[in-house]
Amino acid sequence: MKAPVRVAVTGAAGQISYSLLFRIASGDMLGKDQPIILQLLEITPAMEALKGVIMELEDGAFPLVAGIVGTDDANVAFKDANYALLVGARPRGPGMERKDLLEANAAIFSAQGKAINDNASKDIKVLVVGNPANTNALIAQRNAPDINPRQFTAMTRLDHNRGMAQLANKLGKTVNDITKMTIWGNHSSTQYPDLHHCEVDGKVAIDQVEQDWYEGTYIPEVQQRGAAIIKARGASSAASAGSAAVDHMRSWALGTADGDWVSMGIYSDGSYGIQEGLIYSFPCTCKDGDWSIVQGLEVNDFSRGKMEATEKELAEERDAVSHLLP
Ligand code: NAD
Ligand code: LMR
C-alpha cells in the first residue's frame, strides 16, 4: 500500500461535498491503491452538520480512508495538504450570473490562498469549484506567492462533460465515442465549447452537425446548462459537479488517455494569445502529475471571436477584484 496523501475539501457539509467526499473516499479520484486522509473545512455554524457527514463517512467503512479531520480553521484544514478542492462558497440562485457571486465569495479565496501558502505541501494541487471558479482560483493563486501558479486550477470539467453528453445525444452516440472536447475560457455563460477539434468515432465533430444547430442550440445549451439545472432542481448542480471534480483531479494526478485531452481552467502562459496570468480553460493533456496545454490547434475567425469574448470577461472579473490581488 502507498503512504496516505492529505486531501483538503472546503464546504464539506454542503451539497456538492455530500456526493464528492464519498467518491474520493472510495478511491475514484486518486485510485484504489491510494490511501487518503480527509481534511474537511466548514464555517463554524456548519460544524454540527459536518459532524454528521463525518459520521456517515465513518459508517461507509472505506478501506482507503486513513483518517478524517473536521475543522473550522483553514490552517488546520490545509496543513501538509497534497490536494485541495475548494468547494465552499455561496451558490447562485435563479436569475443570477455566476459573477454576481464575486463580492460574496471573493474574500473566502484570498484567505484560503494565504492559508494554503502558509500550511500546505509545496506540491499541492488545488482545484477551485466555488463560483465564479476561474476568478476565485486567480484570487487564491495570487495570495499564495510561494506556490507555483500552475498548481491552482479552476473547474470547467463539468462543462466539458456536458459538451460531450449533448453531442452524444445529438448524434445517437455515447460519450465513449467522443474525444478531444474543448471548453475555452470562463466557467460562465461566455465559455466556448469548441467542436472544431473534437472527434466522434475519430472524425471531426463539426462536420457531423449543422452549423445552425451548433451556433443556435449546442453552444447556448452548454453555456446555460447550470442555469437550466437551477431552474429544474431549485438548487445548483451538485452530484454532477462532484463527479466532474473527481474527473478533473484524477486526470491531473493519474494522467489523460493517449489521443485524448481534457478541459482545465489553468494559469495562462500566453498560449493562443490569451493574456498571461488569467485562469482560462484550455485543452490539456496530463502526465506525471502535471498538465500541458495542447498546442498548435487551428483557430478560425469564429472561434477566435468566442475565445476573445470569454477572455475579456475574465479580464473584467480580474479587474473587479484587483484589491484582493497582491
Ligand atoms: P452549498 O451552499 O450547498 O455548500 C457550500 C458550503 O460551503 C456550505 O456548507 C457552507 O457552509 C460552506 N462554506 C461557506 N463559506 C465557507 C468557507 N469560508 N470555508 C469553508 N466552507 C465554507 O453549495 P454547493 O451546491 O455545494 O456549491 C458550492 C459552490 O460550488 C457554489 O459556489 C456553486 O456555485 C459552485 N459550483 C461550481 C461548479 C463548477 O462547475 N465550477 C458546479 C456546481 C457548483
Ligand atoms: C454549474 O455550472 O452547474 C454550476 O456552476 C452552478 C451554477 O451556478 O450554474
Side-chain angles (χ1 to χ4, degrees):
M1 251 322 185
K2 297 176 176 171
V5 293
R6 294 177 182 274
V7 180
V9 181
T10 74
Q15 279 205 92
I16 293 176
S17 290
Y18 197 61
S19 61
L20 170 64
L21 292 172
F22 295 82
R23 298 278 309 278
I24 298 174
S26 70
D28 286 350
M29 187 170 91
L30 296 176
K32 304 284 180 191
D33 60 347
Q34 179 57 68
I36 51 173
I37 297 170
L38 289 168
Q39 304 190 159
L40 308 180
L41 182 66
E42 257 300 344
I43 51 172
T44 311
M47 285 307 283
E48 190 60 20
L50 179 60
K51 199 165 123 194
V53 173
I54 292 175
M55 287 160 72
E56 287 203 68
L57 282 165
E58 287 170 354
D59 295 352
F62 293 103
L64 291 172
V65 176
I68 307 177
V69 177
T71 179
D72 56 3
D73 180 347
N75 295 316
V76 174
F78 295 121
K79 185 79 193 144
D80 299 328
N82 307 101
Y83 297 86
L85 294 93
L86 307 188
V87 180
R90 215 181 108 188
R92 66 173 166 158
M96 291 171 78
E97 285 295 330
R98 297 184 189 91
K99 65 183 163 201
D100 298 335
L101 294 168
L102 206 44
E103 206 169 311
N105 289 340
I108 298 175
F109 293 86
S110 60
Q112 293 183 356
K114 288 189 187 88
I116 288 170
N117 193 62
D118 294 348
N119 296 283
S121 168
K122 292 295 174 231
D123 69 359
I124 188 166
K125 289 178 165 54
V126 181
L127 168 63
V128 176
V129 175
N131 278 318
N134 299 53
T135 298
N136 289 337
L138 177 74
I139 295 169
Q141 180 264 309
R142 292 278 285 270
N143 282 279
D146 303 332
I147 301 206
N148 186 329
R150 295 175 57 85
Q151 293 165 220
F152 285 84
T153 65
M155 191 164 93
T156 52
R157 186 63 170 268
L158 180 55
D159 311 292
H160 178 104
N161 289 347
R162 288 167 172 167
M164 290 205 299
Q166 294 301 317
L167 182 62
N169 283 349
K170 162 78 174 171
L171 295 176
K173 301 281 179 183
T174 74
V175 291
N176 302 300
D177 305 314
I178 298 177
T179 53
K180 301 183 181 171
M181 178 73 216
T182 302
I183 303 292
W184 299 100
N186 199 1
H187 173 63
S188 76
S189 51
T190 65
Q191 67 177 270
Y192 172 42
D194 184 355
L195 293 186
H196 293 85
H197 313 290
C198 181
E199 294 179 1
V200 183
D201 290 335
K203 294 189 224 67
V204 179
I206 195 78
D207 297 341
Q208 301 182 51
V209 299
E210 312 81 44
Q211 189 67 21
D212 279 359
W213 177 81
Y214 179 48
E215 289 185 39
T217 302
Y218 180 77
I219 294 176
E221 282 190 357
V222 175
Q223 290 173 329
Q224 298 293 341
R225 184 71 166 184
I229 289 170
I230 291 170
K231 187 157 176 269
R233 236 172 67 82
S236 70
S237 66
S240 58
S243 194
V246 165
D247 290 344
H248 176 113
M249 282 304 210
R250 188 184 56 233
S251 296
W252 190 3
L254 303 181
T256 45
D258 284 345
D260 200 3
W261 64 61
V262 296
S263 304
M264 297 171 70
I266 48 163
Y267 186 85
S268 170
D269 63 357
S271 290
Y272 295 97
I274 302 304
Q275 282 183 55
E276 194 176 338
L278 289 177
I279 303 284
Y280 187 97
S281 180
F282 288 94
C284 292
T285 54
C286 303
K287 198 172 175 228
D288 300 329
D290 200 8
W291 52 257
S292 318
I293 298 173
V294 175
Q295 298 292 341
L297 299 175
E298 206 180 310
V299 174
N300 65 18
D301 289 346
F302 178 82
S303 294
R304 176 56 60 195
K306 299 267 181 222
M307 287 161 67
E308 285 177 0
T310 190
E311 177 192 20
K312 180 166 173 279
E313 182 184 47
L314 280 169
E316 286 165 4
E317 288 184 21
R318 176 199 58 202
D319 295 345
V321 295
S322 56
H323 57 292
L324 293 171
L325 303 177

